[in-house]
Amino acid sequence: MNPKTLWHILRIEGLIPFTGSAILIGGVVTIWEVGFAAADWGLFGIAALAAVLVHIDAHLWNDIMDLEIDRGEKSRETGRDRPLVFGWATVKNYRTMSALITILVIILAAYLTLYRIFIPLLFLLGFFFDYGYNHPRIALGHQPFTEWYIFPWLVVGVTVTIVYAATNLFSLLAFILSLLQGMTVTCFGVSMMRRDVNSDRRGGKYTSSVQFPEVPHSTIYGTVTMLVSVVMIYPLTLILGFGLAYMIVLITALVAMINIVLGARIDQLCTRAMYSILPDFEARTNKLMLQQVGASLVHVVAITVILVAFSGRIA
């Protein structure tokens, strides 16, 4: 197996905005809930490591599930390496790595269960997301709108799990902040489906963009994210007070507006590609999509800095 395969499996453009952001939010919420000294940072670290491993396992199965589709995808235009397509690794290599990762995650979860009784339920949920979306026998990722209702909960699941591991609490603050980040980063996930619409259609993958190509998916999802952020101002005010809640909602709404603008441009490119020849379609949409990734990272850093800077409990 080519060593370059390992870097591709990490796929940091997805790992950091989703699981990385969840860990960052989880750390700040943990301190908010119980203070730094009272938190069990050992269990926090074990839960975070297990979450990263489950995410990497999802990458493995996603590559296996989409192997034939990826053969027709414009990897050069989107800057993505395809180890299985390029012959750097085999499906057997991937299945072996997945088995080892799964065994390690089960061991880590079993250890966490000695201290936190609900850990098995949370990790079962994580494996449902992993295998449900990515395993070839289930392949929810090949169905319409699954990125809309699955991707945001990846961030929520990781954040709630690691905060629970560290504090023995199910935190409403962790749920709300991770949902806002989950929806923010899913804007790029929806746009990714828009970018891949041509190769997905040729490969028989019935995503929402393939089934309903005329619908401005990226624009709509950004708008939904902004609306949800406004709704969350009430529960956030009950937890944080109006000032902090207002700042967090304002940041989320502003980033959502950026994603709406970028998403609208992606939707326009998709429409043009439907009715005309647009050879650089994938490259142009990929560039806009990566800007959405950057916006989601700005969002998570901003809301955590706000909590740290303005929260008396953390100070």
Side-chain angles (χ1 to χ4, degrees):
M1 184 175 66
N2 192 311
K4 290 188 290 187
T5 300
L6 299 177
W7 176 251
H8 166 79
I9 291 170
L10 287 178
R11 230 178 283 177
I12 58 172
E13 73 277 8
L15 185 64
I16 293 177
F18 281 96
T19 301
S21 294
I23 294 170
L24 179 59
I25 294 171
V28 174
V29 172
T30 294
I31 299 173
W32 170 272
E33 293 287 4
V34 299
F36 186 87
D40 192 323
W41 294 105
L43 295 184
F44 179 96
I46 293 172
L49 173 61
V52 170
L53 291 173
V54 171
H55 191 144
I56 292 172
D57 188 59
H59 290 168
L60 292 170
W61 283 106
N62 186 264
D63 279 2
I64 294 173
M65 176 181 69
D66 287 347
L67 175 57
E68 295 306 317
I69 296 172
D70 289 342
R71 294 188 193 279
E73 192 263 338
K74 294 186 177 181
S75 300
R76 181 178 300 174
E77 286 81 353
T78 58
R80 292 181 293 181
D81 292 328
R82 300 296 190 187
L84 294 181
V85 175
F86 296 167
W88 296 351
T90 65
V91 171
K92 182 178 179 180
N93 294 147
Y94 269 40
R95 290 180 181 273
T96 300
M97 285 188 286
S98 175
L100 294 174
I101 288 173
T102 301
I103 291 170
L104 180 55
V105 170
I106 291 173
I107 292 172
L108 294 175
Y111 179 79
L112 290 170
T113 304
L114 297 175
Y115 303 93
R116 305 287 186 256
I117 192 171
F118 293 113
I119 282 292
L121 294 177
L122 295 169
F123 273 89
L124 281 175
L125 181 63
F127 277 116
F128 167 76
F129 288 140
D130 177 2
Y131 290 113
Y133 188 84
N134 297 292
H135 197 283
R137 294 187 179 180
I138 306 173
L140 290 178
H142 284 195
Q143 304 303 315
F145 296 106
T146 48
E147 68 274 14
W148 287 54
Y149 63 80
I150 287 183
F151 282 13
W153 301 107
L154 302 179
V155 182
V156 175
V158 173
T159 306
V160 170
T161 298
I162 62 178
V163 171
Y164 170 66
T167 66
N168 203 24
L169 298 171
F170 286 105
S171 168
L172 180 59
L173 179 60
F175 176 86
I176 295 173
L177 293 183
S178 59
L179 179 61
L180 292 178
Q181 172 62 15
M183 295 192 70
T184 298
V185 72
T186 298
C187 290
F188 117 74
V190 172
S191 295
M192 180 172 61
M193 298 301 177
R194 298 292 275 162
R195 178 199 63 189
D196 293 342
V197 62
N198 292 330
S199 58
D200 287 346
R201 184 185 296 110
R202 289 192 297 268
K205 189 174 179 180
Y206 299 106
T207 64
S208 50
S209 290
V210 171
Q211 292 283 77
F212 309 100
E214 71 284 353
V215 175
H217 299 273
S218 297
T219 308
I220 292 173
Y221 200 88
T223 304
V224 171
T225 301
M226 183 168 62
L227 294 175
V228 169
S229 70
V230 174
V231 172
M232 288 299 168
I233 194 167
Y234 176 70
L236 275 176
T237 298
L238 297 179
I239 301 169
L240 301 174
F242 179 75
L244 278 176
Y246 179 79
M247 284 190 287
I248 288 173
V249 169
L250 179 61
I251 289 294
T252 304
L254 289 174
V255 173
M257 290 177 64
I258 293 171
N259 280 327
I260 290 171
V261 173
L262 294 171
R265 293 172 64 185
I266 290 171
D267 288 329
Q268 289 171 355
L269 287 170
C270 287
T271 301
R272 287 179 58 192
M274 285 173 56
Y275 300 106
S276 63
I277 298 175
L278 200 62
D280 60 345
F281 163 68
E282 284 84 358
R284 293 171 65 179
T285 53
N286 188 69
K287 182 178 180 180
L288 294 169
M289 186 201 75
L290 291 178
Q291 291 177 34
Q292 289 184 313
V293 174
S296 73
L297 294 177
V298 169
H299 174 261
V300 70
V301 171
I303 63 175
T304 52
V305 166
I306 286 172
L307 280 180
V308 172
F310 295 99
S311 170
R313 290 187 61 175
I314 293 182

